Amino acid sequence: MNQTALSPPNHWHPTNQPNLNPFTASPTTFNQIQFLRFNNQNDKQNLPILRSATNPSSHLPPVVVVGSANADIYVEIDRLPKEGETISAKTGQTLAGGKGANQACCGAKLSHPTYFVGQVGNDAHGNLVADALREGGVRLDYLAVVPSAPTGHAVVMLQDSGQNSIVIVGGANVSFWPQSLQLRHLEVVSSAGIVLLQREIPDFVNVQVAKAARNAGVPVIFDAGGVDAPIPQELLDFVDIFSPNESELGRLTGLPTESFEEITQAAAKCHKLGVKQVLVKLGAKGSALFIEGEEPIQQPAIFAKTVIDTTGAGDTFTAAFSVALVEGKSKKECLRFAAAAASLCVQVKGAIPSMPDRESVLELLNHH
């Protein structure tokens, strides 16, 4: 990809940004969607990010995440139940999550201005998610409340090993999105430094957002996590960096991904589909960035002292990589920064609660 595509759009201004509403409802849906508004005196929402030696982001365009917001219902179990079997969980807890919300919260906790565009229901789970995002420093000007659908939620079955299995209920993440997003719906996307998408909202929303970003010269990172279904070519045509984990890469290409050579071949198939850069998350084996026509850039994992919960680790990696990229780091530096963030994430239970701050990531990097 042309490096100039990653430069901040020339129309970005860090101050005096309009209070844009990305979802002006049509006459038929006006009563279906409300928008969260926060008091102008809320310093987390409206004051500039603090400037410091560890925060170079003050004058950079924001990360904009368009995606899902869920309530993650955790159950801790010894093992997964067999078919037809009922087992007892050790504990149960509900925490905020969803791939979009996770990535937005990670960006904000890494001290980069971050906006989240998404939908929640008018319910307790929606309040839980909004509170968690707001406390994490995410700008919520564009979070819509959909009274006719519940907040998306997920049942996370967490085993002693730290590995998890997840069942998702889409709810407001997949309901009542406008079929055609008007121009001003996407102005926040056009003013971004980078846009993050995932697969837990409808494809037609992602396509429109990706097109708007491309037209504005804003790079798009598309995380493959979410719905396990073929990806529309129309979406891939507007993606700059495609980011699957190794199992997602295998399912989407139909190729084995056991060895690095096989992963390289699967990434090459993505290149043939028009995606010039493929960022593969390899878990304990680290990560690799495959840029068409260049040698792969590999990054070993930065191992955690204790693995408590891998939920959100992939989202942390993707968001941290995006923050480093929009801040002008080299691809190798972006991979290293993302590896450190993911290492810290897996040491804490929960997705959003486990997102590390910038100082913690930099401290870890100083020791590796």
Side-chain angles (χ1 to χ4, degrees):
M1 186 177 64
N2 191 321
Q3 285 293 334
T4 58
L6 296 178
S7 300
N10 57 17
H11 54 272
W12 163 252
H13 302 286
T15 59
N16 198 29
Q17 284 292 295
N19 186 17
L20 305 174
N21 182 337
F23 300 115
T24 298
S26 65
T28 58
T29 60
F30 183 81
N31 292 325
Q32 296 288 339
I33 300 177
Q34 304 167 15
F35 298 91
L36 295 183
R37 285 290 181 263
F38 298 96
N39 191 308
N40 289 335
Q41 295 180 1
N42 184 331
D43 57 356
K44 282 192 176 181
Q45 292 297 105
N46 298 288
L47 292 181
I49 300 295
L50 293 176
R51 296 171 174 80
S52 72
T54 57
N55 173 30
S57 306
S58 302
H59 295 292
L60 293 175
V63 169
V64 173
V65 182
V66 183
S68 59
N70 287 332
D72 290 342
I73 304 167
Y74 279 81
V75 290
E76 293 190 22
I77 54 178
D78 292 320
R79 59 174 177 81
L80 294 174
K82 299 176 182 178
E83 185 175 352
E85 181 185 21
T86 299
I87 63 174
S88 296
K90 299 176 183 177
T91 62
Q93 186 178 11
T94 302
L95 300 169
K99 293 189 69 64
N102 291 346
Q103 292 176 10
C105 201
C106 181
K109 286 189 174 182
L110 291 172
S111 300
H112 196 98
T114 303
Y115 288 89
F116 177 64
V117 181
Q119 301 188 158
V120 295
N122 187 18
D123 51 31
H125 283 164
N127 292 334
L128 172 75
V129 171
D131 287 346
L133 288 171
R134 186 170 58 251
E135 289 168 7
V138 179
R139 316 292 177 86
L140 295 184
D141 305 57
Y142 312 112
L143 179 61
V145 177
V146 182
S148 301
T151 298
H153 49 283
V155 178
V156 182
M157 292 170 281
L158 183 62
Q159 300 177 67
D160 287 341
S161 63
Q163 296 301 310
N164 62 73
S165 299
I166 304 173
V167 179
I168 296 174
V169 178
N173 292 318
V174 297
S175 304
F176 297 104
W177 288 87
Q179 286 296 318
S180 296
L181 303 179
Q182 299 177 22
L183 180 60
R184 66 173 182 158
H185 301 168
L186 302 173
E187 285 182 322
V188 67
V189 169
S190 298
S191 70
I194 197 162
V195 170
L196 276 64
L197 300 174
Q198 320 82 36
R199 303 210 70 198
E200 292 181 345
I201 62 173
D203 283 332
F204 76 86
V205 177
N206 279 335
V207 168
Q208 292 178 69
V209 171
K211 282 183 178 179
R214 175 63 59 86
N215 289 338
V218 177
V220 173
I221 295 185
F222 179 42
D223 191 307
V227 175
D228 183 14
I231 300 172
Q233 183 62 47
E234 185 181 16
L235 177 54
L236 290 176
D237 288 343
F238 296 100
V239 169
D240 295 281
I241 301 176
F242 179 54
S243 183
N245 60 31
E246 57 188 318
S247 61
E248 291 162 349
L249 180 64
R251 290 197 303 269
L252 292 166
T253 61
L255 296 175
T257 55
E258 295 297 321
S259 67
F260 190 77
E261 181 180 353
E262 291 173 339
I263 291 168
T264 301
Q265 292 172 353
K269 185 171 182 178
C270 294
H271 291 155
K272 291 178 181 178
L273 294 174
V275 181
K276 303 301 182 184
Q277 301 185 60
V278 182
L279 174 60
V280 186
K281 301 176 283 275
L282 301 172
K285 293 180 285 186
S287 60
L289 177 62
F290 299 87
I291 303 175
E292 189 173 31
E294 300 181 17
E295 288 297 313
I297 304 173
Q298 294 180 256
Q299 169 63 46
I302 297 176
F303 288 103
K305 295 178 180 179
T306 305
V307 176
I308 302 297
D309 180 10
T310 59
T311 307
D315 295 327
T316 298
F317 183 94
T318 303
F321 181 92
S322 303
V323 166
L325 190 62
V326 80
E327 291 175 359
K329 304 290 193 302
S330 70
K331 299 294 176 54
K332 181 63 178 176
E333 289 174 315
C334 291
L335 289 170
R336 189 164 175 263
F337 187 77
S343 176
L344 292 169
C345 170
V346 300
Q347 299 180 52
V348 180
K349 181 180 176 182
I352 286 178
S354 69
M355 302 297 172
D357 58 33
R358 179 181 288 267
E359 288 72 21
S360 298
V361 174
L362 295 178
E363 182 179 355
L364 178 58
L365 287 174
N366 286 337
H367 292 86
H368 284 79

